[in-house]
Amino acid sequence: MLNLYHTINNHIKEALERAFPSVSSEAEKAGISLDPQLVKASKPEFGDFQANGAMQLAKLLKQQPRAIAFSIVEQLKTNKNFIELCKEPEIAGPGFINITLKNDCLINEIQNRLNDNRLGVAKVEVKSGERKTPTVIVDFSSPNIAKEMHVGHLRSTIIGDSLARILEFRGYKVLRLNHIGDWGTQFGMLITHLKDVAPEALKHANALDLGDLVVFYREAKKRFDNDNAFQEASRNEVVKLQGGEALSVKAWQLLCAQSRQEFQKIYDRLDIRLKERGESFYNPYLEGVVEELNNLGLVVKDQGAQCIFLDTINRQSEPQAPVIVQKSDGGFNYATTDLAAIQYRFNNPPHGDGADRIIYVTDSGQANHFEGVFQIAKNANWIPENAKLEHVPFGLVQGEDGKKLKTRSGQTIRLRDLLDEAIERAKSDLTNRLQSEDRNETDAFIEEVATTVGIAAVKYADLSQNRISNYQFSFNRMLNLQGNTAPYLLYSVVRIAGIARKGGFIENEITELKFETKQEWSLIRALLKFDEIIIEVENELLPNRLCTYLFELSQVFNRFYDQVPVLKAREPFRKSRIALCKLTADTLKLGMGLLGIRTLERM
RNA sequence: GCGCCUGUAGCUCAGCGGAUUAGAGCAUCUGACUACGGAUCAGAGGGUCGGGAGUUCGAAUCUCUCCAGGCGCGCCA
């Protein structure tokens, strides 16, 4: 209903100016914007929209807010275009103007949606001066080579994927970058250990199977901590790798390839696609970055390291913490890599991505780091005009005890185990249900439903919460069949699919829609809110807003389904209701698709 | 010590400067299956929005301050 919002907003603005012709200049003098402050109605009984602007103007105009509202409404009543869309506005409370859309107007909107596979969501405009589609980079997931993906990667992966999907749907060119940790000093010990354990792997072309990478990593770490000779060899190995020695590079590549395979298994299960571009990609640029920052006079040598002290942040800390761009041993660190990445991503092709917006989906613990790095990029003038650079932080994953999520023995929980358990629990729920309902289903059906429900539950539970706060992980809650959970949403889709199977769906284009119950009008209004929710998520990067919307839509639908017959209704109500069912299913499927969640026809 | 984030019902959380009565879900209690899948629906109880001050016609929302918790804080990423 964004189009209607804009139209009505303009009508009110116009009415305001006509009612108070001198108000524009006076408002300007007083530094007040002439915004009618049109927003969604806070409660259904107040209509569809409410304009809150009259109160703000009271002082300026030296009139009662209700009187101002009255004058605006008088003007609105003379506007034919407005009258065509809305019922007569009502003035309420201190001076709110409540606006309710006419039924014909709503029906017209529904009609448009039925013929629109974007469900009213506009595609991003390419402004006339610009040649290209705006590019957004979503940097997410980012596991480390030779380590297994664990709960710590869950939120970034799920939230980042959903944001990427939403931006893609809006028509942006989206680059989903997996900034994996494929470089650093730990490779010294890993390569040294690999050369010892599997020297033959370095001579043949085939990738080796290291089995459990976590075990491999732990073995290497253990030797590093206890064996001086091994430590010495590891340090030499880092130098060799950085120097590009063939055998070391080969070993590094083998380790990366091995890890990549493991990561891919998880991404396949989660239905996530990513372009791998690890930290090592930026190696060739690091020296140049430090040089450039040096030339700009931003860098200070402190205790042997090349540092940048920012007066905008960390001002009060004592001693003041710098951002280190080159270590005292000459090596570079993650700040350097991130700076190189920012520069590269904003640069135009072929030596960059030409990004207009960069989004980093990482835990909130890195907020200080990004604040510093972003500030440096700004000081160095690397951020193009109108481009955006954003950290999208999220909180910790906690167990039901409120502590950081761990296994009973205190180990980090592997992502694959977590997914296995979710699916296993969904499966046992399902088989119990099938048994109690005397249903016979194939193993393939059970497998598909359990997998879909399990993965959906994990994703939805995470996405449905405001990402900024910590997230309490609970299998019981996420798999609950009632409430704001994935199974509840999936069930709504299944119910509609049931209607479709029994009654068929719309054959041709539906004309002559007719509605009579309050449940239908509630459903219609819920359906029409989809587009503004998508725009909101695009701007705020909060997928939980979409989840809340989909849950509320499901609730409104289930109420309708429970209280209003569809297939047994007489025409034209029958086909009108079927149309609402279809639109509900389409909206739920599209919405859940944008969350990265698959839906089912039966469950 | 400094910085960032969080504090809303028994629990988990929404809440976008706006309304008498601050909303959901879970849990608890009471109802509804001869209408499309009851994995549903209808209803009830449950709150000094961490405390205090300020800005505003209006504050859970903005500002300040205090309290509590989490995370981070020079050469790991």
Side-chain angles (χ1 to χ4, degrees):
Chain A
M1 277 201 296
L2 273 175
N3 53 341
L4 287 173
Y5 168 85
H6 290 304
T7 307
I8 291 167
N9 196 31
N10 285 337
H11 287 323
I12 300 177
K13 244 183 215 166
E14 234 176 69
L16 182 61
E17 276 160 22
R18 263 182 299 162
F20 306 99
S22 62
V23 79
S24 301
S25 56
E26 281 179 45
E28 211 169 293
K29 266 186 258 165
I32 297 171
S33 71
L34 253 195
D35 188 0
Q37 293 188 26
L38 188 68
V39 296
K40 275 184 282 185
S42 58
K43 288 183 182 175
E45 56 265 38
F46 301 144
D48 291 298
F49 302 105
Q50 60 184 56
N52 303 330
M55 274 82 76
Q56 211 190 24
L57 291 171
K59 231 181 213 173
L60 181 72
L61 295 166
K62 297 189 181 69
Q63 285 189 41
Q64 293 296 321
R66 280 188 74 99
I68 297 170
F70 182 80
S71 304
I72 295 171
V73 169
E74 283 304 296
Q75 288 301 322
L76 279 173
K77 284 200 262 183
T78 66
N79 182 337
K80 265 186 206 152
N81 294 325
F82 178 82
I83 288 172
E84 216 166 276
L85 296 175
C86 305
K87 295 179 183 169
E88 186 169 320
E90 283 173 12
I91 298 167
F96 298 99
I97 302 173
N98 290 341
I99 290 163
T100 306
L101 294 165
K102 284 186 171 170
N103 289 348
D104 284 350
C105 173
L106 293 168
I107 289 173
N108 190 37
E109 288 293 302
I110 289 290
Q111 196 85 254
N112 293 340
R113 288 286 173 91
L114 286 167
N115 301 316
D116 176 12
N117 56 14
R118 297 189 58 81
L119 302 182
V121 180
K123 269 208 162 182
V124 66
E125 291 173 42
V126 180
K127 287 178 192 134
S128 52
E130 294 162 17
R131 288 168 311 241
K132 63 174 184 102
T133 313
T135 300
V136 184
I137 290 176
V138 184
D139 180 319
F140 69 105
S141 197
S142 309
N144 292 318
I145 292 293
K147 290 193 193 167
E148 199 150 16
M149 290 185 76
H150 54 82
V151 274
H153 301 108
L154 184 68
R155 303 203 76 186
S156 177
T157 306
I158 290 173
I159 294 168
D161 174 61
S162 174
L163 292 175
R165 284 173 192 262
I166 289 163
L167 292 163
E168 277 159 359
F169 179 68
R170 275 280 287 142
Y172 293 98
K173 182 182 166 198
V174 176
L175 221 52
R176 306 154 152 259
L177 292 186
N178 201 1
H179 191 76
I180 62 170
D182 65 352
W183 201 253
T185 43
Q186 78 274 20
F187 279 97
M189 69 178 194
L190 291 169
I191 293 171
T192 308
H193 187 52
L194 178 65
K195 281 182 172 175
D196 275 2
V197 176
E200 71 287 355
L202 298 168
K203 295 184 187 121
H204 308 293
N206 302 340
L208 75 172
D209 184 6
L210 285 178
D212 196 331
L213 275 166
V214 173
V215 173
F216 180 84
Y217 187 94
R218 238 181 263 147
E219 283 168 5
K221 184 80 169 60
K222 198 172 167 191
R223 287 182 70 185
F224 187 84
D225 291 342
N226 300 319
D227 182 344
N228 285 334
F230 185 84
Q231 246 179 55
E232 185 58 32
S234 296
R235 291 207 187 88
N236 289 335
E237 198 52 64
V238 175
V239 177
K240 284 188 202 165
L241 178 63
Q242 285 173 345
E245 194 173 292
L247 199 62
S248 302
V249 171
K250 175 87 194 274
W252 172 69
Q253 285 168 340
L254 283 174
L255 286 164
C256 291
Q258 177 73 19
S259 295
R260 201 170 287 135
Q261 272 179 29
E262 294 300 312
F263 297 156
Q264 198 52 47
K265 284 183 199 160
I266 298 282
Y267 292 137
D268 286 345
R269 292 179 79 181
L270 288 173
D271 202 8
I272 281 163
R273 117 195 111 60
L274 273 156
K275 182 184 165 77
E276 183 186 315
R277 193 199 277 170
E279 292 167 354
S280 63
F281 176 88
Y282 303 99
N283 286 350
Y285 305 98
L286 300 178
E287 232 176 281
V289 162
V290 175
E291 201 180 306
E292 196 173 331
L293 293 171
N294 243 316
N295 292 340
L296 289 165
L298 298 171
V299 182
V300 174
K301 195 162 185 175
D302 192 88
Q303 294 173 36
Q306 302 288 334
C307 299
I308 297 176
F309 290 89
L310 297 162
D311 45 351
T312 46
I313 58 169
N314 293 335
R315 214 179 352 220
Q316 273 101 16
S317 67
E318 198 56 56
Q320 199 181 338
V323 175
I324 293 177
V325 292
Q326 189 164 18
K327 299 189 284 186
S328 51
D329 67 1
F332 302 106
N333 62 6
Y334 68 120
T336 330
T337 307
D338 278 342
L339 284 165
I342 290 171
Q343 195 180 38
Y344 185 91
R345 290 167 181 185
F346 277 135
N347 274 348
N348 283 321
H351 301 295
D353 299 312
D356 298 282
R357 187 183 192 186
I358 307 176
I359 292 167
Y360 293 84
V361 187
T362 78
D363 69 280
S364 45
Q366 296 188 50
N368 288 337
H369 163 68
F370 280 115
E371 200 186 341
V373 165
F374 289 178
Q375 188 60 49
I376 292 169
K378 198 179 157 203
N379 293 351
N381 220 2
W382 291 347
I383 308 174
E385 211 180 333
N386 299 326
K388 283 194 274 189
L389 187 55
E390 292 164 278
H391 179 214
V392 176
F394 54 83
L396 280 179
V397 182
Q398 301 175 318
E400 288 183 84
D401 56 359
K403 301 253 169 70
K404 197 170 172 182
L405 189 65
K406 293 254 165 86
T407 61
R408 256 180 235 123
S409 55
Q411 301 280 313
T412 307
I413 295 176
R414 302 189 302 178
L415 213 39
R416 64 172 184 207
D417 293 338
L418 184 143
L419 298 178
D420 283 345
E421 184 165 352
I423 292 166
E424 203 43 55
R425 284 170 179 249
K427 193 172 180 176
S428 97
D429 268 4
L430 177 65
T431 46
N432 284 343
R433 173 168 298 278
L434 292 178
Q435 207 165 29
S436 69
E437 289 177 2
D438 266 335
R439 282 170 63 187
N440 253 321
E441 299 287 358
T442 63
D443 287 349
F445 174 87
I446 292 170
E447 208 53 46
E448 195 207 342
V449 172
T451 306
T452 306
V453 171
I455 300 285
V458 170
K459 286 190 177 187
Y460 187 81
D462 199 328
L463 290 166
S464 62
Q465 213 149 112
N466 188 320
R467 57 174 166 72
I468 293 160
S469 47
N470 289 344
Y471 162 51
Q472 201 171 102
F473 189 94
S474 161
F475 281 119
N476 286 330
R477 279 203 289 270
M478 71 177 67
L479 286 162
N480 200 330
L481 307 170
Q482 288 94 36
N484 188 2
T485 63
Y488 179 88
L489 296 192
L490 290 169
Y491 181 62
S492 306
V493 175
V494 164
R495 282 183 132 182
I496 301 173
I499 290 182
R501 276 193 300 274
K502 296 224 161 125
F505 258 159
I506 305 166
E507 315 77 46
N508 300 310
E509 285 198 6
I510 293 227
T511 51
E512 204 202 333
L513 291 171
K514 211 168 172 197
F515 305 104
E516 57 175 2
T517 66
K518 66 173 198 294
Q519 290 89 339
E520 288 166 289
W521 292 114
S522 300
L523 182 54
I524 286 165
R525 288 193 155 89
L527 286 166
L528 293 177
K529 281 182 187 143
F530 183 65
D531 59 338
E532 68 191 54
I533 297 295
I534 297 299
I535 301 300
E536 200 178 296
V537 178
E538 172 190 333
N539 293 327
E540 314 275 332
L541 305 175
L542 290 171
N544 65 303
R545 296 266 167 85
L546 177 54
C547 295
T548 302
Y549 168 76
L550 293 174
F551 175 58
E552 281 168 3
L553 176 62
S554 297
Q555 278 185 310
V556 174
F557 171 77
N558 279 321
R559 214 163 289 151
F560 159 82
Y561 179 95
D562 194 59
Q563 297 162 11
V564 181
V566 175
L567 294 176
K568 295 197 174 166
R570 66 183 195 282
E571 294 294 3
F573 297 109
R574 186 178 186 273
K575 68 177 180 185
S576 301
R577 288 170 190 173
I578 287 177
L580 289 187
C581 290
K582 176 187 166 2
L583 201 48
T584 305
D586 288 349
T587 306
L588 288 174
K589 284 182 195 167
L590 177 56
M592 289 167 87
L594 294 178
L595 296 174
I597 294 172
R598 292 194 170 159
T599 55
L600 295 159
E601 296 294 298
R602 289 172 57 237
M603 66 192 279

